Amino acid sequence: MRIGVLNGGGDVPGLNPAIRGCVLRAMDFGWEVVGINEGWKGLIEGLTESLGISQVEDLMNKGGTILGTSRTSPYKVEKGVERCLQNIRKLKIEAIVAMGGEDTLGIANKLYKEHKMKVVGVPKTMDNDLSSTDYTFGFDTSVTLAMNALEVLKNTGKSHRRIMVLEVMGRHAGWVALFTAIGGGADWVLLPEEKADIDSMCKHLKRVYERKKIATVVVSEGIEVPGEKISKEKLDQFGHMLLKERGMGEGIARVIRDRLGVDTRVSVIGHMQRGGAPTLFDRMLGVRAGVKAVELIKEGKFGQMVSLRGTEMMGVSLEEAVGKLKTVSPEWIDFAHTLFK
Ligand code: F6P
C-alpha cells in the first residue's frame, strides 16, 4: 500500500507531529508514505517527496510543516480536479490523508463524494472552529503564545498607566480571543459572535482603570462591522480575506482613547502566534491524529475525519465535520462575562 499525506491552509503547530504519526503507523503496516507538498496544489502539480523514518525522526518539537502548505482549491484551478485524479494514478497513491481546516477538508469531502477519492481527514486549525471534534491541534499553542503576549503587555501597560489592546487571529470564530482573554486575565474581550457593546466596554474599562491604572482588552480580528463592504479582489480561492488588514484592534484602541482620554496602545500578534513550537497538548493531539488517520485507512473508513471526543480518538463523518463552522456558544460567552470584573 502507498498512501499520500498532505496539509492545506495555514500552517499550525502540531502538523509535524501528525505527519510523524502517519509515517510511524504506516511503517507498522509495511506501507510507503508519499508527502504531497503545498496542499492540494502539490496534488495538482505532482509535487511530492518520499517520507520515511529519517524525514520524521526529529519532528515532535517543530512548528510549521515540513511539507509546505498553500490555500489552493483544485476547483478554482483550470482542470484542477482532473489533474489531482491523474496524479493519484500516476503516483500510484491508493489513499490520502488530508490535514486541514474547513477549506482543505471541504475539498477532501467533495472529492470523496464526487470522485470516490479514498481520503480520510485530520482536523488542524489554530481557529478551533471545526465541528465534530472537541479540539483541533494548533489552537492550544497559538492561545498560549497570545496569552504570554498579553502578560508582556500588562507589564509595560501598567508601567505607563495605559490601556492595552491585543488583536488576535481566529477568523470568524472567537475561540482564540476568548481563551486568550480568560487564560490571560484580560478585562474585556470582543468576539465575532457578539455585537460589540462599546458603551458597556468603556464604562467597565473606566472602572477597572481607576482601580488598577491599567486595563487590557483582547480583540478578535474577525469582529463584525455593520455595513462593511469587502472587495472581491481581496478574497482568496476559498472566499476569505486577510482579516488582519481590517485593523480592528486599532479601531477599538482609537475609540477607547477618544472616549476615556486614557493613553491606549494596540498590538497585533498576527502570525507570531502561529509559527511556534507545539505545546505538549498539540504534540500529543497531532501525533495521535496522524496514527489514527492511518488506522482509519487500514479499516477502509474513507470519507471520515479523525476526531477527539473527550480523551478518545475516533472516526467521524467528514461531511458532518465540514457542514457547519463551530463558533463560540452563548453559554461560553456568559461564562466569560462572569470573569471580567
Ligand atoms: O485560519 C487560520 C488563520 O491563522 C486565521 O486565524 C487567519 O485569519 C488566517 O489564517 C491568516 O491567513 P494567512 O496565513 O494566509 O495570512
Side-chain angles (χ1 to χ4, degrees):
M1 180 102 167
R2 199 167 140 84
I3 64 168
V5 177
L6 67 80
N7 53 247
D11 66 292
V12 295
L15 270 173
N16 282 329
I19 295 165
R20 176 174 157 88
C22 282
V23 172
L24 297 187
R25 194 59 174 139
M27 283 171 69
D28 288 342
F29 303 141
W31 295 354
E32 257 181 85
V33 184
V34 180
I36 299 164
N37 300 122
E38 300 170 33
W40 294 114
K41 178 172 179 242
L43 200 57
I44 297 170
E45 298 180 10
L47 312 171
T48 60
E49 63 185 283
S50 174
L51 291 179
I53 184 76
S54 0
Q55 284 72 32
V56 301
E57 208 121 52
D58 198 17
L59 280 191
M60 286 306 285
N61 59 344
K62 302 277 191 299
T65 163
I66 53 163
L67 292 177
T69 188
S70 73
R71 297 190 186 278
T72 309
S73 164
Y75 289 89
K76 293 285 161 69
V77 173
E78 213 191 323
K79 297 207 164 111
V81 172
E82 219 176 294
R83 285 160 70 191
C84 282
L85 299 172
Q86 270 167 9
N87 275 325
I88 288 178
R89 280 195 296 273
K90 206 156 109 193
L91 294 160
K92 298 190 169 44
I93 291 173
E94 291 160 84
I96 290 183
V97 176
M99 303 183 181
E102 48 155 347
D103 299 334
T104 305
L105 296 185
I107 299 289
N109 185 45
K110 241 177 142 188
L111 291 170
Y112 167 71
K113 282 196 318 189
E114 294 173 3
H115 298 279
K116 297 192 172 51
M117 188 183 276
K118 291 186 171 174
V119 61
V120 302
V122 167
K124 69 88 233 183
T125 163
M126 60 157 282
D127 303 338
N128 200 36
D129 57 0
L130 265 174
S131 297
S132 306
T133 185
D134 291 351
Y135 285 98
T136 54
F137 57 80
F139 175 68
D140 187 69
T141 309
S142 49
V143 171
T144 302
L145 288 167
M147 207 178 64
N148 292 342
L150 190 68
E151 200 57 41
V152 172
L153 293 179
K154 280 186 180 176
N155 292 336
T156 170
K158 176 88 185 187
S159 307
H160 285 261
R161 310 323 197 199
R162 284 173 173 156
I163 293 180
M164 305 303 283
V165 174
L166 174 64
E167 181 191 306
V168 297
M169 295 213 262
R171 203 166 259 165
H172 304 296
W175 296 110
V176 175
L178 182 70
F179 276 47
T180 300
I182 295 176
D187 299 301
W188 199 262
V189 65
L190 293 173
L191 308 173
E193 290 84 352
E194 204 188 21
K195 191 172 172 295
D197 180 352
I198 302 292
D199 288 342
S200 301
M201 177 185 76
C202 287
K203 255 192 229 154
H204 180 76
L205 292 178
K206 189 168 180 286
R207 271 200 309 272
V208 170
Y209 184 80
E210 280 166 5
R211 193 173 75 227
K212 299 199 286 192
K213 293 280 169 280
I214 174 164
T216 53
V217 181
V218 177
V219 178
S220 169
E221 64 174 0
I223 58 171
E224 296 284 327
V225 177
E228 186 184 16
K229 286 198 177 63
I230 291 165
S231 112
K232 275 203 168 152
E233 285 149 38
K234 294 202 161 181
L235 303 181
D236 68 15
Q237 292 192 349
F238 293 92
H240 303 299
M241 82 168 279
L242 189 54
L243 295 174
K244 198 152 79 84
E245 282 185 1
R246 297 158 73 228
M248 290 297 114
E250 188 54 61
I252 294 298
R254 206 176 310 123
V255 171
I256 296 172
R257 213 177 285 131
D258 291 351
R259 292 231 194 157
L260 301 187
V262 176
D263 202 11
T264 303
R265 293 286 192 270
V266 61
S267 296
V268 181
I269 185 166
H271 294 82
M272 273 185 281
Q273 77 175 113
R274 213 174 65 188
T279 54
L280 172 65
F281 184 84
D282 283 341
R283 291 179 199 201
M284 295 302 293
L285 187 53
V287 78
R288 288 180 78 197
V291 166
K292 185 71 188 175
V294 173
E295 289 172 353
L296 288 180
I297 292 181
K298 176 87 172 157
E299 292 159 24
K301 294 190 171 157
F302 302 111
Q304 291 213 352
M305 181 188 85
V306 173
S307 156
L308 175 71
R309 284 287 164 86
T311 55
E312 298 296 307
M313 302 302 289
M314 57 186 69
V316 296
S317 143
L318 198 45
E319 172 92 356
E320 271 170 39
V322 299
K324 192 171 178 279
L325 212 60
K326 185 178 74 183
T327 50
V328 175
S329 63
E331 291 76 23
W332 267 106
I333 293 177
D334 285 349
F335 174 72
H337 284 301
T338 309
L339 304 172
F340 301 131
K341 294 242 165 35

